[in-house]
Amino acid sequence: MDILVVGSVAFDSVETPFGQADEVLGGSATYFSTSASYFSNVAMVAVVGEDFPVEHEVMLKEKNIDLAGLQRVKGGETFRWKGRYEYDLNQAHTLETHLNVFESFSPELPEEYKKIPYVFLANIDPELQLKVLEQVENPKLVACDTMNFWIEGKQDKLRELLKKVDMFVINEGEAREFSDEASLVRAARHILDCGPHTVIIKRGEYGALMFKDDEVFNAPAYPMEDIFDPTGAGDSFAGGLMGYLANTGDLSEEGLRKAIIIGSTMASFNVEAFSLNRLKDLTLDEINLRYKAFKRLTHFEEL
Ligand code: AMP
């Protein structure tokens, strides 16, 4: 296995200006691993309740995602998130968060997960992210994500975690909130001073910015005619990014640039439908074609 992910597996209820979905499959680990599965083998550490239908597990297994680290709690209820988006689809408004089985979850890595080289700590309680990190041995790359819920509720733990990760993937609003800086350049500098050598700021329909040493890479998002549901875009982005990095092993600046465009490609598919309905059935040809469209989108000649 190439990638270890810990994160949420959820039932999401989502309203957008274009429709709504109730209690559909979601969660940061679910979106991440489905996206990454097109490029690498993923092992998932998470928890669900007794109410989690077997068909969701079957779908994940069909994508070759290893579920030996997925705990199922007898009598427990799966994590639930309810959110709404208005016309500004970049901004999710959380209406409800029910941690349920996550409240008493303690991640235990199966022995065969401990030496997995690429680790992604998807959006989840930073204490759980730290517990996973304590169990891995000599990872090649550790990346993590978070959200305002944890920046506001557990910032000390998040700062402790950042000292131990190589790459921080965070969205624009949360980067500003975390750093207390309006400028994204200053926000990125603040984050780099906390520990990671690379920070990637996700900017929704405006793309993503990578800061590494003195380099900045500005990747566009794919211009979409219709966006049905942005939920999971950030995790699909991270899944494509990590999936590609683990597949190639190329952590150079150029390798990272390509991985970010693969991440943007996967996010652009994900927003075309609610839940994982688009993300789960892609072909490599579709992914390649859209990657090429990205290349064309940003290509220009020297003067
Ligand atoms: P994103 O990729 O940022 O749109 O993340 C969306 C996913 O994050 C949803 O499927 C939610 O189930 C999940 N989520 C929302 N709030 C939390 C939270 N506090 N902890 C972990 N996962 C969450």
Side-chain angles (χ1 to χ4, degrees), residues 8 10 12 26-27 31 79 81 97 123-124 147 149-150 230-235:
S8 56
D12 289 344
Y31 281 107
F79 173 83
W81 177 74
T97 301
N123 174 27
I124 198 181
M147 72 181 292
F149 191 81
W150 307 115
T231 312
D235 302 303

Side-chain angles (χ1 to χ4, degrees), residues 225-278:
E225 197 159 326
D226 295 306
I227 297 179
F228 281 97
D229 175 16
T231 312
D235 302 303
S236 321
F237 170 88
L241 169 93
M242 291 290 284
Y244 183 79
L245 290 177
N247 177 297
T248 59
D250 179 4
L251 300 181
S252 69
E253 164 88 24
E254 289 310 315
L256 280 167
R257 286 176 180 236
K258 284 194 264 182
I260 286 175
I261 300 297
I262 290 284
S264 306
T265 301
M266 301 309 283
S268 76
F269 283 119
N270 181 61
V271 302
E272 289 179 359
F274 280 100
S275 186
L276 288 94
N277 294 338
R278 182 75 174 110

